[in-house]
């Protein structure tokens, strides 16, 4: 078996190979662990490689395969964003604050994927506490984009996106609070799905902004995303906001004809802010969907641009409270020799949190303060409802909405790091989707100067099915998702 | 100047649920530090709260118990502040939309009257842990066993004018919540903690003065004393032309004074906002009615029924219903004796006195209601004089068997046989001619006094068992003739 074939094979293909005995789970695991060891140096996409855990899980998977108790995901190597708590495996959220944190529990998503037989190879790098759009805020250093290591992979799930693009595993989890799955998926040329808020349990995922956070699959194909989503979803009595709604088998309707599917194109997503080359590629991609019989409809999402301000009030406000538990008292970083309680708090938090995290805590604290609550937080909640209403109105006319996932291709490291507002603009097309709680997906849809771009598809609440269907049909017609970068040090 | 005291109370009531308000950890008092706190209670990363439905049910029961409006929609909020015993850096509470709205609560006073207190609201929240300052030298220990214990915070309007009213309210509240079974109401263990908001104003004026808040007073007696000393303190300041500073104060029982709390509480901005990890609680009329069906007869209605059905006075009825086991004991005694007033007198009299003396609660009382009923019946049918009955009661208390057994074994039966009594009377008259002479010569006023001699003689002869009423009748008939 050619190793590069294994590296970029889909989970679906690997599953078949495992079932047929062409390869064992242990062989697969060893292959990907070797590849990570060999190639991740310049990419820095992983924080922790959990070799021992992986080998134990791989052996268990091989046993399940021989016992005939395997699921479609048994033995498939997988990476978890380092925001998912993994029992016995260090979980840092890419923060100095949690550099020493080993959770005594698995996130629900982790235990579900474990139960499905996946093999966790390690934990991926990310923006600190998922706050960032370039993966430059990690305590463990920036992640490089495999397509051009001078460029960022996007964020906050940048490590996951880079690792999938680099062929370190076929599957990774990500989380998306304002675009953190979709934007890095776009910038690294992979498939990333943010499910409807409530579709996937948040229990055991380190909280950034609780009303916006949602976990989803990051994969090389829509088909794999459907397969992985099957194992991730469902109500969880450990998360009150997880939805009590039936979970279909997302793989069954992938092939369905999309003739007559109405795709809405919001004029706000194709304005002058959008790089014209990206715009052209997105239109070309949409033309492929038209060839499948889909109908393109011009629509409006008039409050798209208010989304940024709204998001940057609500998310930091919730974060300011969510991050209060990191106080140096029970777990996480604690400063040396605190003089008194205030000193313990101030130094533990100042030393433990990076600049962007501190900036958002300050913004959020301010937005909730007496005298400012009505002007900021309450107003933002109202605008949030207006934005959700915009989508609802649009979905009276169309079945899905399409547009770019990011305003441009991957930018250079350092290019926007000093300008938070320019960085926040990265999420202009994605964060409204979080505010409205809707499912959104990015699929590779073109290349500009050797760098991938992503087509974003947005669906109705709890209608991931239609997104997956349209995305899969698109990938049946196009090869963008099969492109692979050339890695420094790679054999082939 | 005459001052009027204006007070409102906030009571933090720990709910006696099996597990904590947002986690499955056991909700019990007194375990080793930090063993009854799970990952949720510790605020571990990624852990999420899930509402314990029993806590909601208890809150609704309380709301129905004080006739309050139940919030069909209520919302949890985060109250943000840093303190080591607050694991998440925020407390999950209800600020904007509480589960229980306005209600009216009738508080029985010692004169038998009812004092209506307006309930402003009651909301669910989680308790914090405890800082332990005396376990380690120069360091503070944190015990998070209490973190996540369900609390119902019950807030009143500023309706109290006297310490007596405040204490009566707390006692009535204690009675209500133990009837409902939603809390043990144990103030010493912190199940019921009271904050007193207190201000003074010149009598006859309407405007409220600046208030202070006395936090966490933990017994009825301390509430009374804390109010007294704080009123005195404020009055002294105001009469000296000073101003009251709005602040939180602590009552020091040892020194019997209140003093300012310097710490965290001062002018905090709690930055309340809706808790995104919990959905709003939405309940409907069916749910509320299903909870209403669970309610036992409450102290107020029971008090009224005791007055109507048993012909008791308001005060006795209020005393009997104040604790449900006491009321149950009374009704069991009446059921077995058919003597309501007499039963009430015995329970509130000798039985209560004996329980106080031996420091027993009604649940620990060695005399079962059926046994006391046996005694009551013998008093009612004149088998026992009240004096003999006290001896029988002592026998009951010592566990000597039923009242009839004790009458038999101690030989305490009252002599009511008219033949036997008559023989005794005749004998005494025959043996004391001088006294008979003296009696017959006296006027009515003096005769009454002189008859005591004969009663004494006969009681002596009968070992105190002569039926006093019959004896009096016989004596006057024989002597006056």
């Amino acid at each position: 078996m050619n190793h590069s074939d294994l590296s970029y094979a889909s989970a679906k293909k690997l599953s078949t190979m495992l079932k047929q005995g062409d390869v064992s789970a242990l062989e697969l695991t060893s292959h990907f662990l070797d590849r990570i060891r060999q190639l991740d140096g310049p990419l820095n996409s992983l924080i922790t490689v959990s070799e021992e855990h992986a080998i134990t899980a791989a052996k268990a998977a091989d046993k399940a395969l021989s016992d005939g108790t395997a699921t479609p995901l048994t033995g498939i190597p997988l990476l978890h964003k380092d925001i998912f708590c993994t029992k016995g495996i260090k979980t840092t959220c890419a923060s100095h604050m949690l550099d020493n944190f080993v959770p005594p529990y698995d996130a629900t998503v982790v235990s579900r994927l474990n139960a499905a037989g996946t093999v966790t190879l390690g934990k991926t790098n990310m923006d600190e506490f998922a706050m960032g759009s370039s993966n430059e805020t990690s305590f463990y250093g920036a992640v490089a984009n495999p397509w051009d290591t001078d460029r960022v992979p996007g964020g906050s799930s940048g490590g996951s996106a880079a690792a999938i693009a680099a062929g370190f595993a076929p599957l990774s989890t990500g989380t998306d609070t304002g675009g953190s799955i979709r934007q890095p998926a776009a910038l690294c040329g992979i498939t990333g799905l943010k499910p409807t808020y409530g579709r996937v349990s948040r229990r055991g995922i380190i909280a950034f902004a609780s009303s916006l956070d949602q976990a989803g699959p990051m994969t090389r194909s829509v088909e794999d995303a459907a397969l992985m989503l099957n194992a991730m979803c469902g109500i969880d009595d450990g998360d009150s906001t997880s939805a009590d709604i039936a979970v279909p088998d997302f793989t069954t309707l992938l092939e369905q004809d999309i003739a007559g599917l109405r795709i809405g194109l919001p004029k706000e997503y194709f304005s002058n802010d959008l790089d014209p080359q990206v715009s052209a590629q997105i239109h070309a991609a949409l033309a492929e969907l038209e060839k499948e019989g889909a109908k393109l409809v011009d629509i409006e999402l008039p409050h798209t641009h208010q989304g940024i301000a709204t998001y940057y009030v609500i998310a930091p406000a919730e974060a300011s409270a969510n991050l209060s538990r990191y106080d140096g008292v029970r777990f996480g970083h604690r400063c040396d020799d605190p003089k008194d309680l205030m000193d313990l708090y101030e130094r533990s938090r100042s030393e433990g949190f990076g600049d962007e995290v501190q900036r958002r805590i300050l913004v959020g604290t301010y937005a909730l303060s007496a005298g400012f609550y009505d002007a900021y937080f309450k107003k933002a909640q109202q605008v949030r409802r207006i934005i959700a209403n915009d989508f609802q109105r649009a979905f009276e006319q169309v079945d899905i909405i399409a547009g770019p996932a990011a305003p441009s291709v991957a930018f250079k490291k350092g290019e926007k790091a000093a300008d938070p507002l320019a960085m926040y603009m990265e999420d202009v097309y994605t964060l409204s989707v979080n505010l409205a709680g809707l499912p959104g997906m990015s699929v590779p849809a073109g290349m500009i100067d050797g760098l991938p771009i992503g087509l974003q598809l947005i669906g109705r609440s709890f209608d991931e099915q239609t997104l997956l269907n349209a995305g899969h049909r698109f990938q049946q017609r196009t090869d963008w998702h099969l492109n692979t970068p050339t890695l420094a040090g790679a054999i082939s | 100047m005459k001052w009027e005291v204006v007070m409102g109370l906030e009571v933090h009531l720990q709910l006696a649920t099996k597990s904590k308000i947002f986690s499955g950890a056991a909700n019990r008092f007194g375990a080793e530090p930090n063993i009854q706190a799970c990952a949720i209670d510790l605020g571990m990363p990624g852990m999420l709260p899930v509402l314990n439905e029993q806590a909601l049910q208890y809150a609704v029961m309380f709301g129905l118990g004080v006739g309050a409006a139940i919030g069909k929609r209520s919302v949890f909020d985060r109250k943000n502040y840093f303190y080591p015993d607050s694991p998440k850096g925020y407390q999950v509470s209800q600020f904007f939309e509480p589960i229980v709205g306005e209600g009216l609560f009738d508080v029985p006073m010692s004169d038998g009257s009812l004092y209506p207190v307006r309930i402003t609201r009651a909301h669910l929240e989680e308790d914090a842990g405890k800082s332990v300052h005396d376990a380690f030298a120069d360091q503070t220990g944190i015990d998070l066993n209490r973190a996540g214990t369900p609390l119902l915070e019950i807030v009143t309007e500023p309706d109290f004018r006297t310490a007596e009213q405040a204490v009566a309210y707390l006692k009535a509240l204690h009675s209500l919540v133990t009837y409902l079974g939603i809390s043990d109401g144990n103030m010493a263990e912190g199940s019921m903690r009271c904050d007193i908001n207190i201000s003074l104003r010149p009598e006859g004026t309407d405007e409220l003065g600046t208030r202070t808040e006395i936090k966490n007073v933990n017994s009825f007696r301390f509430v009374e004393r804390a109010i007294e000393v704080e009123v005195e303190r404020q009055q002294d300041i105001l009469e000296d032309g000073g101003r009251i500073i709005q602040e939180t104060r602590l009552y020091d029982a040892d020194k019997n004074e209140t003093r300012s709390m310097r710490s965290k509480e001062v002018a905090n901005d709690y930055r309340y906002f809706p808790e995104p990890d919990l959905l709003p609680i939405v309940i409907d009329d069916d749910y509320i009615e299903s909870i209403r069906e669970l309610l036992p007869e409450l102290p107020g209605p029971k008090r009224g029924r005791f007055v109507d059905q048993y012909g008791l006075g308001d005060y006795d009825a209020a005393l009997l219903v104040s604790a449900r086991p006491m009321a149950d004991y009374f009704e069991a005694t009446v059921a077995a004796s058919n003597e309501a007033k007499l039963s009430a007198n015995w329970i509130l009299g000798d039985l209560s006195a004996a329980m106080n003396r031996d420091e027993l609660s009604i649940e620990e009382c060695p005399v079962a209601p059926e046994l006391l009923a046996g005694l009551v019946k013998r008093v009612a049918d004149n088998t026992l004089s009240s004096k003999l009955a006290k001896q029988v009661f002592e026998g009951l208390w010592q566990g000597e068997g039923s009242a009839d057994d004790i009458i038999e074994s101690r030989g305490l039966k009252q002599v009511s046989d008219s033949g036997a009594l008559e023989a005794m009377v005749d004998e005494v008259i025959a043996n004391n001619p001088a006294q008979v002479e003296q009696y017959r010569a006296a006027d009515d006023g003096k005769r009454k006094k002189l008859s005591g001699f004969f009663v004494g003689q006969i009681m002596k002869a009968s070992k105190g068992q002569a039926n006093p009423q019959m004896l009096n009748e016989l004596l006057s008939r024989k002597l006056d003739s």
Side-chain angles (χ1 to χ4, degrees):
Chain A
M1 181 80 215
N2 184 315
H3 274 188
S4 66
D5 288 351
L6 279 185
S7 303
Y8 284 104
S10 70
K12 193 179 181 219
K13 175 149 185 236
L14 292 175
S15 183
T16 308
M17 291 171 68
L18 284 163
K19 289 228 169 81
Q20 290 170 349
D22 298 340
V23 68
S24 73
L26 195 56
E27 284 171 324
L28 264 189
T29 296
S30 303
H31 166 76
F32 284 108
L33 287 174
D34 287 347
R35 188 172 164 87
I36 289 167
R37 219 168 293 141
Q38 198 188 340
L39 299 175
D40 193 40
L43 296 181
N44 195 28
S45 70
L46 270 82
I47 291 173
T48 302
V49 176
S50 51
E51 182 163 350
E52 266 180 58
H53 279 86
I55 288 169
T56 309
K59 286 176 177 165
D62 280 328
K63 184 161 185 305
L65 285 158
S66 66
D67 290 351
T69 56
T71 80
L73 288 176
T74 298
I76 305 294
L78 161 141
L79 297 165
H80 282 298
K81 185 179 182 180
D82 210 19
I83 199 170
F84 291 82
C85 287
T86 42
K87 188 175 177 175
I89 304 172
K90 193 171 75 158
T91 300
T92 68
C93 230
S95 180
H96 186 199
M97 183 59 85
L98 290 175
D99 190 32
N100 59 3
F101 180 60
V102 180
Y105 44 82
D106 280 323
T108 298
V109 167
V110 172
S111 43
R112 285 184 177 169
L113 285 165
N114 284 346
T118 57
V119 175
T120 301
L121 302 180
K123 306 294 290 290
T124 60
N125 205 342
M126 54 183 282
D127 280 298
E128 184 182 5
F129 280 101
M131 296 177 185
S133 307
S134 66
N135 218 125
E136 290 169 286
T137 70
S138 170
F139 174 66
Y140 301 94
V143 176
N145 192 316
W147 295 90
D148 175 351
T149 51
D150 290 336
R151 291 176 187 267
V152 303
S156 65
S157 310
S160 296
I164 299 300
F168 293 163
L171 308 175
S172 179
T173 53
T175 59
D176 190 319
T177 305
S180 283
I181 287 176
R182 292 158 289 157
Q183 183 255 17
L187 269 46
C188 290
I190 66 158
T191 299
L193 169 66
K194 180 202 95 74
T196 311
Y197 184 81
R199 185 61 110 173
V200 176
S201 167
R202 293 183 296 115
R203 185 190 156 278
I205 299 171
I206 296 176
F208 162 17
S210 309
S211 74
L212 300 160
D213 295 344
Q214 184 64 194
M218 299 180 77
T219 60
R220 271 196 284 280
S221 71
V222 170
E223 198 171 23
D224 280 2
L227 197 62
M228 188 170 161
L229 188 61
N230 276 350
M232 294 175 75
C233 288
I235 188 168
D236 175 12
D237 59 16
D239 174 5
S240 313
T241 63
S242 71
D244 187 7
I245 188 164
V247 179
D249 177 349
F250 293 106
T251 62
T252 54
L253 297 176
L254 288 176
E255 305 291 344
Q256 195 170 255
D257 191 354
I258 59 165
L261 184 77
R262 297 167 302 166
I263 302 178
L265 308 183
K267 73 169 194 216
E268 295 78 7
Y269 286 24
F270 295 90
S271 69
N272 292 337
D273 296 338
L274 182 62
D275 179 317
Q277 284 180 288
V278 174
S279 179
Q281 294 269 4
I282 295 293
H283 279 107
L286 291 168
E288 296 297 323
L289 286 167
E290 272 189 301
K291 288 180 200 160
E292 285 280 311
K295 293 197 163 49
L296 304 183
V297 183
D298 289 327
I299 59 163
E300 289 183 14
L301 293 172
H303 300 90
T304 296
H305 282 269
Q306 281 85 336
I308 297 178
T310 303
Y311 177 88
Y312 279 100
V313 170
I314 291 173
E318 292 182 6
S320 72
N322 282 332
L323 271 60
S324 292
R325 69 191 61 203
Y326 307 106
D327 57 5
V329 174
R330 294 166 313 286
F331 46 75
H333 177 71
R334 177 180 208 154
C335 69
D336 290 332
D337 303 319
K339 284 201 307 283
D340 55 25
L341 183 61
M342 283 315 286
D343 188 42
L344 170 72
Y345 285 157
E346 286 172 6
R347 278 200 290 132
S348 299
R349 289 168 67 77
S350 298
E351 293 164 8
F353 291 138
D355 289 348
E356 182 62 24
V357 172
Q358 293 191 32
R359 177 182 295 122
R360 297 204 195 185
I361 291 173
L362 289 171
V363 168
T365 302
Y366 180 82
L368 290 171
S369 299
F372 300 103
Y373 181 87
D374 286 354
Y376 292 102
F377 190 78
K378 202 171 162 193
K379 181 69 75 182
Q381 296 283 57
Q382 289 163 346
V383 178
R384 181 177 187 171
R385 190 157 307 132
I386 290 170
I387 288 170
N389 291 343
D390 279 358
F391 278 105
Q392 207 170 357
R393 214 164 297 125
F395 280 122
E396 288 165 10
Q397 290 173 259
V398 298
D399 302 306
I400 61 173
I401 292 169
S408 63
V409 294
F411 47 94
K412 289 260 173 67
K413 285 184 189 168
E415 191 181 318
K416 297 185 183 178
D419 185 353
L421 293 181
M423 191 73 89
Y424 296 169
M425 279 301 291
E426 268 300 297
D427 300 323
V428 61
Y429 304 122
T430 48
L431 42 75
S432 293
V433 177
N434 298 74
L435 290 169
L438 302 172
M441 182 167 71
S442 176
V443 290
M447 299 291 284
I448 298 170
D449 302 330
L451 294 169
I453 65 141
L455 167 70
Q456 182 179 209
L457 302 175
I458 301 162
R460 292 192 179 97
S461 198
F462 293 104
D463 188 17
E464 290 83 1
Q465 189 72 69
T466 303
L467 292 187
L468 291 163
N469 181 205
H472 179 68
R473 297 296 295 201
F474 179 75
Q475 291 187 340
Q476 298 301 100
R477 297 189 66 87
T478 60
D479 287 338
W480 302 115
H481 63 294
L482 301 177
N483 283 352
T484 56
T486 308
L487 300 183
I491 300 157
S492 58
Chain B
M1 191 184 294
K2 284 275 271 177
W3 298 96
E4 182 180 43
V5 181
V6 179
M7 291 178 287
L9 299 187
E10 286 170 30
V11 169
H12 287 84
L13 185 75
Q14 287 186 338
L15 299 177
T17 53
K18 285 193 192 71
S19 53
K20 293 188 174 177
I21 184 165
F22 299 125
S23 84
N27 176 27
R28 270 194 305 270
F29 177 81
E32 288 287 297
N34 295 312
I35 65 164
Q36 277 170 198
C38 70
I40 295 172
D41 307 324
L42 297 176
M44 297 286 277
M47 290 295 99
L48 299 172
V50 177
L51 177 63
N52 176 351
E53 212 198 305
Q54 199 178 20
L56 169 65
Q57 185 185 318
Y58 283 7
V60 173
M61 285 171 82
F62 173 81
L64 294 173
V66 294
I70 306 297
K72 298 273 181 63
R73 178 192 147 93
S74 62
V75 177
F76 285 103
D77 302 293
R78 292 184 182 179
K79 177 182 182 179
N80 295 284
Y81 66 93
F82 282 98
Y83 205 67
D85 60 21
S86 168
K88 297 185 294 295
Y90 57 83
Q91 178 193 29
V92 178
S93 181
Q94 295 188 309
F95 182 69
F96 297 105
E97 296 174 72
I99 180 70
V100 176
E102 291 176 6
L104 193 67
F105 187 43
D106 283 332
V107 174
M109 303 299 293
S110 60
D111 64 0
S113 67
L114 294 175
Y115 184 73
V117 172
R118 289 172 297 161
I119 304 292
T120 312
R121 57 183 279 162
H123 63 258
L124 282 167
E125 61 185 24
E126 58 182 339
D127 210 342
K130 277 182 188 164
S131 296
V132 183
H133 297 292
D134 52 6
F136 309 98
D138 301 329
Q139 285 186 311
T140 298
I142 306 295
D143 178 4
L144 294 173
N145 280 351
R146 200 179 70 175
T149 294
L151 290 179
L152 190 65
E153 181 175 335
I154 303 155
V155 183
T156 74
E157 292 293 303
D159 283 353
F160 303 98
R161 299 292 173 268
T162 66
E164 192 206 348
Q165 290 166 351
V167 171
Y169 163 75
L170 291 172
K171 286 184 173 168
L173 198 62
H174 181 275
S175 167
L176 174 69
V177 301
T178 50
Y179 262 75
L180 290 168
I182 62 174
S183 175
D184 64 19
N186 188 327
M187 288 188 87
E189 287 180 1
S191 307
M192 196 168 137
R193 310 194 290 268
C194 182
D195 301 343
I196 309 156
N197 286 292
I198 177 163
S199 65
L200 266 54
R201 64 183 171 198
E203 216 169 60
T205 60
D206 285 340
E207 206 176 322
L208 290 169
T210 305
R211 67 186 160 84
T212 60
E213 182 178 17
I214 311 173
K215 275 247 181 239
N216 278 337
V217 190
N218 67 357
S219 81
F220 295 135
R221 200 158 55 92
F222 290 169
V223 167
E224 196 167 349
R225 286 166 53 183
I227 290 171
E228 279 164 14
V229 297
E230 178 62 12
V231 167
E232 215 169 288
R233 189 189 72 86
Q234 290 194 14
Q235 193 171 329
D236 288 348
I237 291 173
L238 292 169
E239 288 181 350
D240 287 351
R243 293 173 61 164
I244 304 299
I245 303 163
Q246 182 168 342
E247 62 182 352
T248 302
R249 300 182 67 84
L250 264 184
Y251 174 66
D252 181 332
D254 294 333
K255 295 184 179 154
N256 195 33
E257 64 177 27
T258 67
R259 63 163 178 269
S260 182
M261 275 172 79
R262 54 190 162 72
S263 66
K264 53 166 181 167
E265 304 293 337
V266 183
N268 239 332
D269 176 3
Y270 289 122
R271 306 191 306 279
Y272 284 101
F273 74 100
E275 160 62 296
D277 286 333
L278 290 163
L279 300 172
I281 302 171
V282 179
I283 53 178
D284 58 17
D285 288 327
D286 286 350
Y287 178 81
I288 295 170
E289 288 316 305
S290 72
I291 300 296
R292 197 190 300 277
E293 280 167 23
L294 300 176
L295 297 186
E297 184 185 28
L298 295 176
K302 197 187 281 280
R303 200 167 52 231
R305 181 168 66 79
F306 278 19
V307 170
D308 295 344
Q309 182 179 340
Y310 300 121
L312 302 181
D314 290 331
Y315 181 64
D316 284 358
L319 282 180
L320 284 170
V321 305
S322 64
R324 192 168 164 186
M326 180 76 102
D328 291 346
Y329 188 101
F330 166 74
E331 293 211 272
T333 310
V334 177
S337 67
N338 239 333
E339 293 289 340
K341 282 190 103 152
L342 210 47
S343 295
N345 290 344
W346 274 94
I347 291 168
L348 295 173
D350 292 59
L351 187 77
S352 293
M355 288 193 302
N356 284 340
R357 182 192 64 213
D358 293 359
E359 292 181 349
L360 297 176
S361 69
I362 189 81
E363 289 101 324
E364 300 161 326
C365 174
V367 181
E370 295 71 24
L371 291 176
L372 187 69
L375 169 64
V376 167
K377 280 199 305 210
R378 292 297 160 259
V379 175
D381 69 9
N382 282 323
T383 306
L384 294 173
S385 65
S386 60
K387 200 170 169 193
L388 291 174
K390 282 184 192 296
Q391 294 182 48
V392 174
F393 179 78
E394 273 313 305
L396 289 176
W397 192 261
Q398 303 303 329
E400 293 172 17
S402 72
D404 289 341
D405 293 343
I406 296 163
I407 290 166
E408 189 69 38
S409 63
R410 290 198 179 190
L412 295 176
K413 197 164 181 166
Q414 180 164 264
V415 178
S416 303
D417 173 355
S418 55
L421 274 178
E422 195 167 351
M424 283 190 232
V425 171
D426 288 344
E427 198 183 330
V428 171
I429 287 174
N431 290 345
N432 298 286
Q435 281 80 0
V436 174
E437 199 66 19
Q438 199 183 347
Y439 177 90
R440 288 191 172 143
D443 59 22
D444 271 7
K446 283 208 169 147
R447 279 184 174 190
K448 205 163 193 178
K449 202 175 164 193
L450 290 167
S451 73
F453 166 78
F454 299 99
V455 172
Q457 291 294 311
I458 294 162
M459 279 298 179
K460 205 168 158 189
S462 71
K463 292 176 188 145
Q465 284 161 258
N467 181 323
Q469 208 181 332
M470 291 177 74
L471 176 61
N472 281 333
E473 277 169 26
L474 266 173
L475 258 180
S476 49
R477 183 147 55 82
K478 298 264 178 188
L479 288 171
D480 294 354
S481 64

